[in-house]
Amino acid sequence: MAATKIIDAPRNGHEMAPLNTRARGDGTHGVTIVLTAPQRNSVQSVDIPGEPDRAAWSGKMQFFLSIIGYSVGLGNIWRFPYLCQQNGGGAFLIPFMIMLILEGIPLFLIELGMGQRMRLGALGVWNTIHPWLGGIGISSCIVTLFVALYYNVIITWVFFYLFNSFRYPLPWSTCPLNGTGFELEECAKSSETTYFWYRTTLDAAPSMDEPGGLKWWIVLCLLLSWTIVFFIVMKGIQSSGKVVYFTSLFPYIVLTIFFIRGITLRGAGAGLMHMYTPKMEKLFEPTVWLDAATQVFYSFGLAFGSLIAFGSYNTPKNNCVRDVLLVSVCNAVTAIYASVVIFAILGFKATVNVDRCVSSNTEILVKHALLPFKNASSEEYETALHKINHTEFTALQLSECSLSNELDNAAEGTGLAFIVFTQAIVELPGAPFWAVLFFTMLLSLGLGSQIGILEGMLCTLFDIDIVKRVKKQHVTGVVCLFCFIVGFIFCTGAGEYWLKMFDSFAGTIGLVVVALMEMIAVIFIYGHERFTEDIYQMTGYRPGLYWQLTWRYIGPVIMVCILGSSVVFMVIRNPTYGAWNAELGVVEQKDYPNWVMGIALAMILAGVLPMPIVFLMRSFQCLKVDLDIHQGSIRRNETTASTKEMIDNDDDNMSPDMPPQNSLAATRFTIGDFEDDEDDDDDENDLSGPALGGHVKTQSDLSEEEEEDKPMTMRMMMLRPTTTTSPLKQSGGNHLNVPTSRKQNYKKDAYDV
């Protein structure tokens, strides 16, 4: 029997080496097996804290601010206040908090905990749990790419408004004049801020079928956005970790300044009362609970892979449970705090608009002798209005001046940030100062989220061995350049329409499916008991009944409800987008063209299909050699010509029990198995988790029945023992075990090729 040589192999050696027929010099031929230590802290390699050169947070504050900067984004500013207003005011906080507890926090801990436990990106984590689940990481990366494409466009628009905020007076405070000295008709029919948004900023096209050419000012701002993002993330957390001190803390400083100024404005109390007055009857509407669950899901940034990446940079002993609770509370408080600021200022804007409306009506009433003078009291004004019937009211072209109607017109998204709130800023003394503050805050919020999104995607890419060999700066540069070029579709006159389409389709169904599969993978495949033990060993806290119920039952049910309702609403409600009508000065709803819906469907499928494709390819052994690169590796350095034919056969044609074709084909080789000096029984009774070096159940711990039910791969055939008394089965270890001490015994076993 030929002796076995243990050879030091390079760290990236997980591929099968080329066959050769070189003899060993002693007249015999043999097979050389090289065991390579795992590259990262996978589920079996628990004593090595990930890669030796893996990036790590410089301190606890850097990690916490990075998570806050990623989770607290633009949605907290322009989405949550709108939902509160539309779904029962203060009553909306009830379903929001319930969904936060039942859905957001449990899934948040799963992602952060698995990243910290495995010290891998999204692709590596799901491949480690089971190779069939590798598609989850790919889907997450694709959806993240779609979101990163359009999220940076919002930062582009913020840059354009920020540059214009240094002008006095603000360019959106008045309508431009035509050649005859009158206001442009398009601006006169809409408003100053609406005209500046749709015509000056976007130069909006009439529809997606007529996009127009590229707008050079938007292209330049987009180039600036991607350049800044590149320099922030090009070195990973070593570079982005320093920026988060600004992007995470500055928004709170600005919100506090706006809060102090807002509550002192006239009408602020009316705005807050309108927003937070609870309408309890709204709680009986299912859509309110659906909106709450959806807002919690997206406000945490779940399923992007970013939380897994952030967790992987932590030390194994970091208290991730405490981090999850702190970030969750901070996220919810920030959303409520931002709502107070937004509606205090919107209340001021509504009061100013009502005063203007009353003044205009008063002039009309005085002109028609229905009021004695312009300085009439409010009681006299109301009395005069009550004397006018509906016909006279219309004939006199009077306007209805209602504070509640003004507050009900509050918009969401880009409409709130670039139209409604900019109008409120114009009314403030020293408007340019407040405009600079507001758009700098939006810029820091957007950059904080974009950093997290790109970090999650890049961390997933660097789980691929080929990409890992390239400098991170180069990979980051290629990704940013690609996104910049694709982003040209957002620089046309139809740019906002494309952004709305991406936001509606690219980052909705795909993210929900990924989140659902993540929960199923961890709780039902990796095992909720095993994950609970991991959390206990990392934090000293053992998740109790609340966590078990939300992980195993409540969370998946909520995710299925969100997914089902999203699909149903997408089918029932014909998807539309708001197109700008320059002649009327209004936004009209139009149906998406069929070719655009085809692109939307392709994006949805691109974010979902990698999961079943990877599952089918690996379960049916479509690949000849399918090695899990994160679990360790075997390199074949030497063999003979007689064994080449046998090893080159497909896995389906190989059997561990097939008779040898000749004497040389029946080559036997030995493989070393490192074992600790401790008894095997101690290993089996050791309940310490993997984070502390305890025993982890692996494939070799499975029963023989379970082993027989599993599909046979090439690696399993090569490592199948010839005897049933192998120490591999006795000790519960396998060829991937990393020694936990320097003092070891070395044993050999014979295996058949």
Side-chain angles (χ1 to χ4, degrees), residues 2 62 72 83 89 92 110 192-193 228 338 365 426 431 453 462 471 513 525 546 554 615 697 723 736 746:
Q62 188 183 77
V72 178
L83 291 177
F92 181 73
I110 285 179
E192 298 86 348
T193 54
I228 292 177
L365 293 175
V426 169
I453 291 172
F462 277 94
K471 287 186 177 181
V513 173
I525 299 178
Y546 156 72
I554 302 176
F615 171 79
K697 291 184 179 181
T723 62
L736 299 176
Y746 180 76

Side-chain angles (χ1 to χ4, degrees), residues 375-445:
N375 294 329
S377 63
S378 59
E379 291 79 8
E380 293 174 330
Y381 171 78
E382 293 293 338
T383 302
L385 284 182
H386 283 101
K387 293 180 180 179
I388 302 174
N389 57 36
H390 179 72
T391 304
E392 294 175 338
F393 189 92
T394 305
L396 293 174
Q397 296 183 342
L398 295 173
S399 302
E400 183 179 356
C401 306
S402 171
L403 184 63
S404 61
N405 289 343
E406 288 287 338
L407 291 170
D408 284 337
N409 291 331
E412 65 167 326
T414 55
L416 174 62
F418 300 115
I419 298 178
V420 176
F421 205 83
T422 51
Q423 183 181 352
I425 290 176
V426 169
E427 307 297 338
L428 294 172
F433 168 76
W434 299 106
V436 170
L437 271 185
F438 177 70
F439 289 111
T440 306
M441 178 187 69
L442 291 186
L443 179 63
S444 59
L445 286 171

Side-chain angles (χ1 to χ4, degrees), residues 626-645:
D626 189 12
L627 295 179
D628 185 359
I629 64 175
H630 303 293
Q631 299 290 333
S633 58
I634 295 182
R635 290 176 56 103
R636 183 179 65 249
N637 289 342
E638 295 183 22
T639 184
T640 64
S642 59
T643 59
K644 181 178 186 303
E645 179 181 357

Side-chain angles (χ1 to χ4, degrees), residues 46-47 533 536-537 676 678-697 731 740:
V46 296
D47 294 318
E533 182 66 19
Y536 174 70
Q537 297 298 338
D676 294 341
E678 298 176 357
D679 293 338
D680 298 339
D681 294 337
D682 294 338
D683 288 338
E684 295 180 0
N685 297 328
D686 183 13
L687 298 180
S688 62
L692 293 183
H695 173 66
V696 180
K697 291 184 179 181
S731 63
T740 57

Side-chain angles (χ1 to χ4, degrees), residues 689-724:
L692 293 183
H695 173 66
V696 180
K697 291 184 179 181
T698 59
Q699 299 296 336
S700 29
D701 292 326
L702 299 175
S703 62
E704 294 182 2
E705 292 79 11
E706 292 173 329
E707 285 285 354
E708 293 175 357
D709 293 337
K710 296 186 63 176
M712 186 66 64
T713 64
M714 184 171 181
R715 184 200 301 184
M716 295 168 61
M717 294 180 197
M718 295 178 63
L719 298 181
R720 186 163 182 172
T722 56
T723 62
T724 59

